[in-house]
Amino acid sequence: MMENKPKFTPNPQLKLMDQVRETLKYYHYARSTEKTYCQWILRYIYFYGKKRHPKDMGEREIESFLSHLASAQNVAVSTQRQALNALVFLYRDVLQTPLDHSIAPVRAKRKRHPPTVLTEEEIQRIFAQMKGTHLLMAKLIYGSGIRLMECIRLRIQDIDFGQGQLFVRAGKGGKDRVTFLPRIIAGELHQHIERVKELHRRDLVEGFGEVYLPNALARKYRNAAWETVWQYVFPSKTRSIDPRSGKERRHHVLESGLQKAVKAAVKKAAIDKKGTVHTLRHSFATHMLENGTNIRMLQELLGHADVKTTEIYTHVMRKDLEGSKSPLDRIYDK
């Protein structure tokens, strides 16, 4: 997320993509956003055969590019919006020629697919095929409804054992929220955090122990990066060099580890559904509704900006069909 900083002007001696990366770093965009924006800007340039510099193009060319994504490549609405955001950043912050609001490309069609949901029995079968930290993370996601990256980015201070709560800081859309800390895993999670604290103590003894903090927090709390409460709940097994600062730090684990573990567990459990880490969140939401949770409360727990997003789970929850029969059964019961 961009901080409230004076307007930045990239070095004009650099090549365009180096200017883009320099500007992204200045405004402290996430590494994933930096990678995504660079990919879209390059696709935009290559779309016009590398024959024209973006500064010599504008709204008309952007419209054509975005329309091509929708009509020829059939991308999702969110993908088209992501491409637009990258190009708005390019013109506004790098080339410093902001676009007007008249861009009207062919819109990508919104496709609403009901989410895949696992039954409670299927959840148990998957968990039976997992172990260690990956199992703990999977239980936490299913038990609290948090997203994969929200789980991975948890800090020790975000876990409130006394209140049985879990705090999500700067989740999707930059919002904070509170959700459950499942009672059943509280003891296991507490033991895990004690091991993380010991790992942090060893890092400090070895002259390390600094963790990444957003730049504004790092400036405000100058010693916070070495404090235990700011350490990741799920840290990497090894320290690595931060590509931006050049410092050796212990970052959080990669999301791919849990993704692979869940995928393997679904296969071992012989479940013929497309089960992923996000399926655990879908299952949390659906099972909460089935157990009578108010949809507005569920919206808050999931961190949805619009209740319409939450309402999709009403289409996949099991309805109370007791006393009702299929018309086929009624025919043969006569």
Side-chain angles (χ1 to χ4, degrees):
M1 184 180 295
M2 197 188 304
E3 292 177 30
N4 224 354
K5 286 190 169 189
K7 190 68 177 176
F8 175 73
T9 301
N11 184 352
Q13 303 302 317
L14 296 176
K15 293 182 178 180
L16 176 64
M17 293 310 298
D18 290 330
Q19 290 182 11
V20 170
R21 294 184 184 94
E22 183 185 36
T23 307
L24 285 161
K25 287 181 174 66
Y26 177 82
Y27 288 118
H28 298 284
Y29 279 80
R31 287 275 294 170
S32 57
T33 305
E34 178 181 331
K35 182 179 178 181
T36 301
Y37 276 22
C38 287
Q39 288 174 341
W40 278 119
I41 291 168
L42 282 171
R43 283 182 66 174
Y44 173 63
I45 293 170
Y46 277 91
F47 181 73
Y48 290 101
K50 298 175 63 176
K51 296 177 181 178
R52 301 167 66 189
H53 194 283
K55 68 182 180 183
D56 299 321
M57 299 188 284
E59 284 85 358
R60 184 179 301 175
E61 287 80 9
I62 292 174
E63 277 187 11
S64 296
F65 173 65
L66 296 175
S67 296
H68 170 79
L69 293 178
S71 56
Q73 298 193 0
N74 199 30
V75 301
V77 172
S78 58
T79 303
Q80 189 186 44
R81 187 184 304 116
Q82 187 182 72
L84 174 59
N85 290 342
L87 296 178
V88 167
F89 168 82
L90 170 66
Y91 282 89
R92 182 192 63 210
D93 297 314
V94 182
L95 300 177
Q96 299 191 354
T97 54
L99 303 169
D100 62 31
H101 300 289
S102 64
I103 296 176
V106 173
R107 298 289 181 182
K109 295 180 180 178
R110 183 175 294 277
K111 298 176 181 177
R112 283 273 181 173
H113 299 293
T116 299
V117 173
L118 300 163
T119 65
E120 293 178 355
E121 186 267 338
E122 288 170 335
I123 294 284
Q124 290 176 328
R125 283 163 54 192
I126 290 172
F127 288 167
Q129 301 299 326
M130 301 179 71
K131 61 182 180 180
T133 303
H134 286 150
L135 174 58
L136 179 60
M137 294 169 73
K139 286 181 176 178
L140 191 58
I141 289 172
Y142 171 66
S144 61
I146 58 178
R147 300 176 177 90
L148 170 59
M149 292 309 299
E150 291 170 347
C151 175
I152 284 174
R153 291 172 177 161
L154 283 173
R155 312 273 182 157
I156 289 176
Q157 66 178 354
D158 297 333
I159 310 295
D160 186 340
F161 289 103
Q163 297 292 329
Q165 294 179 334
L166 185 154
F167 295 88
V168 177
R169 317 282 185 182
K172 190 172 182 180
K175 300 174 184 175
D176 295 350
R177 70 181 193 279
V178 182
T179 184
F180 302 112
L181 173 62
R183 174 188 51 79
I184 196 71
I185 63 168
E188 184 182 356
L189 184 59
H190 188 273
Q191 291 176 1
H192 170 84
I193 289 177
E194 288 303 311
R195 292 192 293 271
V196 172
K197 289 179 180 178
E198 178 57 34
L199 181 64
H200 178 54
R201 282 191 285 269
R202 292 203 299 268
D203 281 345
L204 289 172
V205 169
E206 294 173 13
F208 299 98
E210 180 183 5
V211 71
Y212 165 78
L213 289 181
N215 200 53
L217 283 173
R219 287 198 308 271
K220 186 175 182 180
Y221 306 109
R222 296 198 177 275
N223 296 319
W226 288 268
E227 293 176 4
T228 301
V229 294
W230 284 101
Q231 303 305 307
Y232 289 112
V233 173
F234 300 107
S236 172
K237 291 182 180 178
T238 58
R239 296 190 298 264
S240 59
I241 302 298
D242 186 322
R244 288 187 170 178
S245 67
K247 297 179 180 180
E248 185 172 334
R249 291 169 168 162
R250 192 177 297 277
H251 204 49
H252 57 62
V253 295
L254 295 174
E255 61 267 33
S256 58
L258 181 57
Q259 288 170 330
K260 291 174 182 176
V262 170
K263 185 177 180 180
V266 170
K267 186 175 181 180
K268 288 179 183 177
I271 294 173
D272 297 323
K273 291 180 180 178
K274 187 182 178 182
T276 66
V277 176
H278 207 62
T279 307
L280 299 176
R281 175 173 154 92
H282 289 324
S283 301
F284 162 86
T286 307
H287 296 166
M288 289 289 289
L289 282 177
E290 290 172 350
N291 290 325
T293 301
N294 180 279
I295 196 164
R296 291 289 182 179
M297 170 66 75
L298 182 60
Q299 178 190 358
E300 292 293 325
L301 293 173
L302 293 172
H304 287 162
D306 192 332
V307 73
K308 290 181 180 178
T309 308
T310 316
E311 286 173 352
I312 193 171
Y313 296 109
T314 63
H315 302 301
V316 291
M317 63 184 287
R318 288 181 301 175
K319 307 296 193 298
D320 185 4
L321 299 178
E322 188 176 350
S324 300
K325 287 184 179 180
S326 161
L328 182 65
D329 290 332
R330 286 201 297 271
I331 290 174
Y332 286 97
D333 284 346
K334 289 181 179 178

